[in-house]
Amino acid sequence: MVTSWALATIPDSNGVSYSFGYGVALPNGPVLATAAIPDGTLVLEYSCRGASTGHLMLSVGGADLVDSEYDCGRVWVHTIVVEDGAVAEIRATAAHGAPSAYAFRIVKR
C-alpha cells in the first residue's frame, strides 16, 4: 500500500532519477537512506501522508542542504546544488508524535 502510494505520488517521469525511497517514519525514529549522486543542480521531491506534518533532512558531504518540517498531502520540491559528486543522506522523521508514510526522489532534469 505504501509502495503504490509512493510511486503514484512521486513518479519517475521527469529527468534522471538517482534515488527513490519510501517507508514509514515513526516518532523519535529517523529513517536513513543514502544515495550516490552526481554534481550539478538536482531536485529533491518529497511528500508524506497519514499525519499532518513530516520532517525531512538531506545532507551531502556533511552539509545540511534541506532541513524542513512540511505539511503532508502534497509534493514539495527543493532545488539543490552539489559541487562534487557525493553521497546524500536522507532522514525522514515523524513530526509531532504521529507516524507518517513518506516518499522522496532525487532527480536531475
Side-chain angles (χ1 to χ4, degrees):
M1 188 145 166
V2 173
T3 303
S4 60
W5 165 79
L7 290 169
T9 300
I10 305 178
D12 186 11
S13 61
N14 191 4
V16 177
S17 180
Y18 285 95
S19 182
F20 174 69
Y22 60 90
V24 176
L26 301 172
N28 299 319
V31 177
L32 175 66
T34 58
I37 58 173
D39 59 347
T41 302
L42 304 171
V43 175
L44 169 66
E45 303 169 330
Y46 55 98
S47 186
C48 66
R49 75 171 188 177
S52 60
T53 56
H55 187 262
L56 188 113
M57 291 180 65
L58 170 78
S59 60
V60 177
D64 292 338
L65 301 182
V66 176
D67 185 358
S68 69
E69 193 166 286
Y70 59 97
D71 293 333
C72 292
R74 61 166 282 200
V75 176
W76 294 88
V77 177
H78 274 277
T79 299
I80 59 174
V81 177
V82 179
E83 299 274 329
D84 296 313
V87 174
E89 291 185 353
I90 302 98
R91 285 185 168 77
T93 55
H96 307 294
S100 63
Y102 71 91
F104 72 89
R105 186 178 300 278
I106 299 173
V107 294
K108 188 167 195 171
R109 295 187 179 147

